Amino acid sequence: MRCCECGFRPRRSICSPHASDPNPPLDSSKPRARGSAQLARWARARRIRSGRMPSTKMQTQAEVEAQQFSEGVAAASDGVSDGESDDEDGGVGGKCVYMVSDGTGWTAEHAVHAALGQFEHCLVDQRCSVDTHLFSQINEVERLMEIIRQAAQEEALVFFTLADPQMAEAAKQACEMLHVPHINILGPITDALHSHLGVSPSGLPRGAPGRPSTLSKQYFKRIEAVEFTIKQDDGALPKNLIQADIVLVGVSRTSKTPLSTYMAQKGYKVANVPLVLGIDPPKELFQVDQDKVYALTINPVFLKSIRLARSRTLGMGPNSRTTYSDMEHISKELEYSRKLFLQNARWPVVEVTGKAIEETAAVILRIFHERRSKNHMPRISRRY
Amino acid sequence: MRCCECGFRPRRSICSPHASDPNPPLDSSKPRARGSAQLARWARARRIRSGRMPSTKMQTQAEVEAQQFSEGVAAASDGVSDGESDDEDGGVGGKCVYMVSDGTGWTAEHAVHAALGQFEHCLVDQRCSVDTHLFSQINEVERLMEIIRQAAQEEALVFFTLADPQMAEAAKQACEMLHVPHINILGPITDALHSHLGVSPSGLPRGAPGRPSTLSKQYFKRIEAVEFTIKQDDGALPKNLIQADIVLVGVSRTSKTPLSTYMAQKGYKVANVPLVLGIDPPKELFQVDQDKVYALTINPVFLKSIRLARSRTLGMGPNSRTTYSDMEHISKELEYSRKLFLQNARWPVVEVTGKAIEETAAVILRIFHERRSKNHMPRISRRY
């Protein structure tokens, strides 16, 4: 593990002189000669643009997709879920981003992940890379200060979601003192709600004593939805389709299962029915309210690649592969599903090719709420 | 449906004169006599404090918990997942919050949900209430303007996550013109990353043509994790425990299943093993790497209430209820699990009483990464 002060920023390293000192001074022993955090950011940006990072010119969409796709399929075929988590990757560290929370930290993670999507043109081909570090349940000023000192050493950008106003203020002051660029993610949102509701925020992080329990109606609804969805997966118990809020229909590898559990986490009871060539779907599929059935479709070339990867992961022999991932078979199966979808005109046909689970879920839930609320402008409404 | 201009703000209503006009002027026909958005917010806050909203004095923690708990259990026993979504509730509308996105809108939803947690002391007992409306995939200025006009009519607070800088600027200008309080959630985060990485954001919303596909290694890892977790649920296929990243152990109703699928969505392969009095756990539980086993425990009174609600939902007869939710049986079962946990000292014992799934997941994943990375300060790291 190399020291952070040498200029090379390794991942997950703690400089031992600082780490071993329980109370090092806030104004680090080697203060940087910079006027302000803003100036430091500009200087850093200039430094990077002037050569420390390769050109950021856009690849063509085709180049990017081809690369992404082959990477994804290769990853799937290599059995990526072998227990290796991303933080086990070796290699030179990327730009460092810290997320610090006195709660779970999931809000910071979600927002930063979404914002990083704006830099995919650079991240996907690893012309630049980013290492994020999420520190959750940071409820003591001492630990907060230690993290910010470490952020200064690693030249990290710090995002924080600290509900406790004293902790948020301490983080701000320490970051300013050490010239660490920082953003309070929840602060402006909470302030705006404060003005809007005319009620002061509690200042208590999630799970803190004194904060009301979150085990509300919504909580139980969500647990029941998850349990229902798991039991219904892959066409199991078709007699229960009537209890589902949403029924997904599609051939194998159209993301039915991950889509179902994703929406179940949001409180929807989702069932899915696989379409298999030569096997009729259960009669219940046509007996339930047809407004809750959603048909999934996918590009055949894309499907073939996914199925090939899947066959390898499952260790299928060459004969099984022929049936499952053979182009002729795939075309026939998709043609069969297309015909079925045409015969059932109430089912919206949702294209999943190249979409992340969240994107397909957004499309389905938008239609779901549109059909229920008959709003002029489709929206997903919720009462708190 | 009553018109918004009468002063009463109904939920999900669109004033037809405006809705039917495809291009109404931005400066609405009835501009409000307000100096600035800030002034308007203050005025509104004063108005609410002066009587339109009941006192916001804090309840005791015991009062809040008792109410929350009885509400939760009642909801569970009523079978809350009957397909009724929250937006079907009747009643007078609460304060209105709009979330507008040119992508899925999940980031705005997540952040606003987290920030609303700061107002739980007022929300849980319905002294105040909030109606959120999520508008996703808003990619045309005309639709954006229509939503902001509607927000002005409903006196809504608007949060937006608009990746397209022109859309973000248009939203800002329209909100300022109509005195609509507004917050750009992703803007400051993206700007900070721009400075930090020295790379310009693409300005393309998720799923837009030209934006690289998100079907990366992480995507396939996540799908495989979800599928693994579903197959392993409730002690199925113990021979596969060795493939899991995380194994959860606990008696019935300690959130094993929803916890498993929540963590699976984050890319972890999770298996769970139920502990049942009188049935030995599978031998594989003790053969796998003991560092990946997590024990769940719960307060017996809390567990009894959850099980009673569960029995009602499942329509169990009185005899079944006696065994499953009887206090003596619960105490014995928890005592058995406590002894087992003591015998297996490597298993961290995680308390789930009163915790939301996200909170328990944060605790488990923090220990998981701490054990793997041996960091001085526990963190969850990820390479982008």
Side-chain angles (χ1 to χ4, degrees), chain A residues 212-229:
Chain A
S213 163
T214 47
L215 300 188
S216 59
K217 180 178 168 184
Q218 184 67 23
Y219 173 87
F220 284 94
K221 180 171 175 173
R222 190 174 148 196
I223 288 187
E224 198 167 331
V226 168
E227 289 174 348
F228 174 87
T229 296

Side-chain angles (χ1 to χ4, degrees), chain B residues 224-287:
Chain B
E224 198 168 330
V226 168
E227 289 174 348
F228 174 87
T229 296
I230 285 190
K231 289 200 177 67
Q232 292 303 127
D233 187 48
D234 207 26
L237 309 173
K239 71 180 168 53
N240 289 347
L241 284 186
I242 197 164
Q243 294 169 33
D245 299 321
I246 291 169
V247 178
L248 304 177
V249 187
V251 304
S252 173
R253 297 288 101 188
T254 43
S255 342
K256 292 186 301 297
T257 297
L259 253 177
S260 300
T261 55
Y262 181 81
M263 291 192 289
Q265 294 283 354
K266 290 187 175 286
Y268 304 87
K269 292 165 85 171
V270 186
N272 70 69
V273 176
L275 293 182
V276 183
L277 199 58
I279 300 176
D280 285 334
K283 63 180 188 308
E284 289 86 351
L285 177 62
F286 309 99
Q287 290 166 347

Side-chain angles (χ1 to χ4, degrees), chain A residues 11 68 81 83-84 118 130-131 133 146 202-203 213 221 227 245 253 269 372 376 381 383-384, chain B residues 68 81 83-84 96 113 118 130-131 133 146 202-203 213 221-222 227 245 253 269 376 381 383-384:
Chain A
R11 303 178 70 218
Q68 271 280 306
S81 289
E84 288 297 304
Q118 285 296 300
V130 172
D131 293 325
H133 302 276
E146 189 176 338
S202 66
S213 163
K221 180 171 175 173
E227 289 174 348
D245 299 321
R253 298 287 101 188
K269 292 165 84 171
R372 289 164 71 98
H376 167 68
S381 299
R383 163 78 47 100
Y384 283 86
Chain B
Q68 270 280 307
S81 289
E84 290 296 305
C96 205
H113 177 83
Q118 285 295 301
V130 172
D131 293 325
H133 302 278
E146 190 176 336
S202 66
S213 164
K221 179 171 176 173
R222 190 173 148 195
E227 289 174 348
D245 299 321
R253 297 288 101 188
K269 292 165 85 171
H376 168 68
S381 299
R383 162 79 47 100
Y384 283 87

Side-chain angles (χ1 to χ4, degrees), chain A residues 11-12 14 44-45 48 53 61 64 68 72 76 80-81 83-88 92 95-96 106-107 109-110 113-115 117-121 129-137 143 146 155 157 159 163 189 193-197 199-204 206-207 210-215 218 220-222 226-227 230 245 253 257 261-262 265-266 269 302 310 356 358-359 363 366 369 372 375-376 379-384, chain B residues 11-12 14 44-45 61 64 68 72 76 80-81 83-87 92 95-96 106-107 109-110 113-115 117-121 129-137 143 146 155 157 159 163 189 193-197 199-204 206-207 210-215 218-222 224 226-227 230 245 253 257 261-262 265-266 269 302 310 356 358-359 363 366 369 372 375-376 378-384:
Chain A
R11 303 178 70 218
R12 302 197 311 269
I14 300 278
R44 197 177 306 155
I48 294 157
M53 184 176 294
Q61 175 64 3
V64 170
Q68 271 280 306
V80 288
S81 289
E84 288 297 304
S85 98
D86 289 8
D87 64 346
E88 298 295 309
V92 178
K95 295 295 258 179
C96 205
W106 302 138
T107 304
E109 188 197 52
H110 193 124
H113 177 82
Q118 285 296 300
F119 301 91
E120 273 166 352
H121 54 284
S129 71
V130 172
D131 293 325
T132 63
H133 302 276
L134 174 64
F135 300 86
S136 62
Q137 295 165 310
R143 295 178 66 211
E146 189 176 338
E155 294 192 18
L157 166 62
F159 292 103
I189 304 174
L193 285 168
H194 175 189
S195 297
H196 191 57
L197 302 179
V199 177
S200 294
S202 66
L204 298 171
R206 195 164 185 170
R211 187 162 152 173
S213 163
T214 47
L215 300 188
Q218 184 67 23
F220 284 94
K221 180 171 175 173
R222 190 174 148 196
V226 168
E227 289 174 348
I230 284 189
D245 299 321
R253 298 287 101 188
T257 297
T261 55
Y262 181 82
Q265 294 282 356
K266 291 187 174 288
K269 292 165 84 171
F302 195 78
R310 168 83 169 168
E358 290 86 349
E359 290 173 75
V363 173
R366 204 155 156 268
H369 284 270
R372 289 164 71 98
N375 257 317
H376 167 68
R379 61 180 81 177
I380 298 176
S381 299
R382 192 168 169 192
R383 163 78 47 100
Y384 283 86
Chain B
R11 302 178 71 219
R12 301 197 312 269
I14 300 281
R44 198 177 305 154
Q61 174 64 4
V64 170
Q68 270 280 307
V80 288
S81 289
E84 290 296 305
S85 96
D86 288 8
D87 64 346
V92 178
K95 296 296 261 180
C96 205
W106 302 138
T107 303
E109 189 197 51
H110 194 122
H113 177 83
Q118 285 295 301
F119 302 91
E120 272 166 354
H121 54 284
S129 70
V130 172
D131 293 325
T132 62
H133 302 278
L134 174 64
F135 300 86
S136 61
Q137 295 164 312
R143 294 179 66 211
E146 190 176 336
E155 294 191 19
L157 165 62
F159 293 102
I189 304 174
L193 285 168
H194 175 188
S195 297
H196 191 58
L197 303 179
V199 178
S200 294
S202 66
L204 298 170
R206 195 165 183 167
R211 185 161 154 173
S213 164
T214 47
L215 301 188
Q218 183 67 22
Y219 173 86
F220 283 94
K221 179 171 176 173
R222 190 173 148 195
E224 198 168 330
V226 168
E227 289 174 348
I230 285 190
D245 299 321
R253 297 288 101 188
T257 297
T261 55
Y262 181 81
Q265 294 283 354
K266 290 187 175 286
K269 292 165 85 171
F302 194 80
R310 168 83 169 171
E358 291 86 348
E359 289 173 75
V363 173
R366 204 155 156 268
H369 283 270
R372 290 163 70 98
N375 257 318
H376 168 68
R379 59 181 82 177
I380 299 176
S381 299
R382 193 169 169 191
R383 162 79 47 100
Y384 283 87

Side-chain angles (χ1 to χ4, degrees), chain A residues 251 275-277 307 329-337:
Chain A
V251 302
L275 293 181
V276 183
L277 199 58
R307 285 197 177 177
H329 178 79
I330 284 177
S331 298
K332 273 187 198 162
E333 208 164 48
L334 284 175
E335 184 54 31
Y336 160 65
S337 75

Side-chain angles (χ1 to χ4, degrees), chain A residues 170-188:
Chain A
K172 182 171 168 278
Q173 285 186 9
C175 284
E176 282 170 0
M177 199 178 287
L178 296 179
H179 309 298
V180 174
H182 57 283
I183 296 281
N184 181 346
I185 293 181
L186 276 186

